[in-house]
Amino acid sequence: MDLFSTLSEAINLRSFSNLWYWIMLAVVWSSTTHWVLGVPYDMVVRAASQGGEAEADLNDIVRVNVNRILYISQMSGLWIVGFGTFFLTLLGLTGFVYGVQLSQSVFLVAFPMFIVGFLSLRTARRLRRDGPTGKALHKILQRHRLVVQGIGVVSVFITALWGMYQNLNYMIPDHIIRPLG
């Protein structure tokens, strides 16, 4: 066996048949829905149920994270959008035009996360503009989390369908799928 075949067997760039890809996908979406604008969602729940110091902690951490998100968007937002769209275009072309499965799998994770990033920026701007506290802040963070969960469900569903299609397309020989003659 040569070195290339040994490495390709060990790495296995066919992402959709790799268990580690699906574990990574679950961890990405689980983390994304738990951390709402960089704030752990259990802080929102605790602030809503206990109030007092938990509410003050939530207001402080939301203020810090909103300021951080808006500062990053003001300082390098155009560069992030430019490189992000270049990266997504590169992944989309190499994945879906040229058939590179690794690019397809990364695109199916990165594109929805790009949408979540824009949603987080919009929510951060709203929080800075309105300055809500208490129940109004809880409601905005809960709504943001619900929308992110919806994006995650749709994304995982589309990724699962595409992954099943790719695996079936790879595993079933062409003469079984396409009739002879």
Side-chain angles (χ1 to χ4, degrees), residues 73-94:
S73 74
Q74 290 170 356
M75 296 308 292
S76 56
L78 288 176
W79 287 101
I80 293 171
V81 170
F83 282 122
T85 54
F86 170 77
F87 183 66
L88 286 173
T89 303
L90 180 70
L91 287 173
L93 287 174
T94 58

Side-chain angles (χ1 to χ4, degrees), residues 60-74:
D60 290 341
I61 197 166
V62 167
R63 180 184 49 80
V64 167
N65 284 333
V66 163
N67 289 339
R68 187 180 118 268
I69 290 168
L70 293 177
Y71 176 77
I72 291 169
S73 74
Q74 290 170 356

Side-chain angles (χ1 to χ4, degrees), residues 15-16 21 24 87-88 91-92 96 100-113:
S15 301
F16 297 114
Y21 174 74
M24 180 272 313
F87 183 66
L88 286 173
L91 287 173
F96 298 104
V100 178
Q101 197 175 100
L102 180 64
S103 295
Q104 293 172 0
S105 62
V106 173
F107 180 86
L108 289 171
V109 174
F111 181 71
M113 295 306 292

